[in-house]
Amino acid sequence: MGGFAWVTLATNDSYSLGALVLAHSLRQVNTVHQLAVLVTPGVTPVMRAKLASVFNVVVDVNILDSKDEANLRLLKRPELGVTFTKLHCWRLTQFEKCVFLDADTMVLANADELFDKEEFSAAPDVGWPDCFNSGVFVYRPSEETYSNIVKFALERGSFDGGDQGLLNLYFSDWAHKDISKHLPFIYNTCSTACYSYLPAFKQFGGNVKIIHFIGSSKPWLQYFDSETRQVQVGSDLQHLRVVLQQWWNIFCSCIHPILSPEMAPSRVP
Ligand code: UDP
Ligand code: MN
């Protein structure tokens, strides 16, 4: 196939809702690139069909099921399950270059220029800026890189138990080697930054291209009033109200109409 793709991951139907909104947000900003989603058996067949209606490629991954040696060793480390599932993105070798996006991200403006960047490019993490945040990164699919990272992970593990700790150990020269691999923060604006540095958010917030709803700010967990079509956010998330509403607007216009009642988030009657 060749070409470039945006790639995300969903291991259950909740994160699939995030993936659906993400995909529609990419279509709305007229990306010229393809959309791919990795799914595990935790995603229901009905939800897979919804994903297939907007993603170009839906790839089944089930790391604990296959037969190679790394996976057999992984069976002894089930806690690394979701982390290892994300690593499958390196196996999409039908694409030349990809940008991985967490399913809790949303694209606000066309960011196709990210594909000019090289592996491994990512933006700083808000908690420890010498680490990158692994919610958005540019990479080159390669079976060799995939097996190297899996091997590394089984030997070294992850200092935070997730993919971010693992990838920061594997791409350990990111902090100092090549500034061109540091993505500007507007490509992965973590939702907590909005209150941890409010003046900067007021100054630069309008430039944000990709918002990342990290931690407990997941849009699908907020209360949504289906009568007024307004998201209700607690005082701690007020600064995110506009982008949370934007997420729900996409949900209401593009996704809710195609969901069967039992698949909608419990907060949407
Ligand atoms: N993920 C998933 N199922 C889970 C947890 C995570 O599919 O139960 C995927 C999803 O793409 C998600 C990513 O892994 O966006 C990273 O997890 P999350 O975004 O919850 O971590 P955070 O960004 O809040 O640290
Ligand atoms: Mn995330």
Side-chain angles (χ1 to χ4, degrees), residues 6 10 20 27 30 49 58 65 80 91 120 129-131 141 173 192 195 210 213 224 230 256-257 265:
W6 301 96
L20 283 168
R27 298 280 183 217
N30 298 314
V58 179
D65 210 28
L80 289 174
R91 308 190 86 175
F120 180 94
D130 277 349
C131 286
D173 60 5
T192 50
Y195 59 78
I210 303 176
F213 299 103
F224 181 76
Q230 296 295 305
H256 193 238

Side-chain angles (χ1 to χ4, degrees), residues 151-180:
K151 193 161 158 263
F152 180 91
L154 290 165
E155 279 157 15
R156 298 276 305 272
S158 161
F159 66 78
D160 64 2
D163 57 281
Q164 181 156 315
L166 166 64
L167 291 173
N168 269 281
L169 288 177
Y170 186 81
F171 295 103
S172 61
D173 60 5
W174 174 87
H176 49 81
K177 192 169 179 206
D178 182 354
I179 193 70
S180 72

Side-chain angles (χ1 to χ4, degrees), residues 9 68 126 201 222 260:
L9 159 70
D68 65 61
V126 278
F201 183 64
Q222 309 307 314
S260 48

Side-chain angles (χ1 to χ4, degrees), residues 8-12 15 82 86 100 102-104 163 212-215 218:
T8 190
L9 159 70
T11 65
N12 55 45
Y15 277 92
V82 173
K86 199 174 200 178
F100 183 90
D102 267 6
D104 61 344
D163 57 281
H212 184 183
F213 299 103
I214 62 170
K218 304 283 182 270

Side-chain angles (χ1 to χ4, degrees), residues 21-22 25 105-108 209-211 213 243 246-247 250:
V21 171
L22 169 61
S25 75
T105 61
M106 179 173 69
V107 178
L108 304 178
K209 289 201 167 198
I210 303 176
I211 182 90
F213 299 103
V243 275
Q246 214 168 324
W247 190 96
I250 295 180

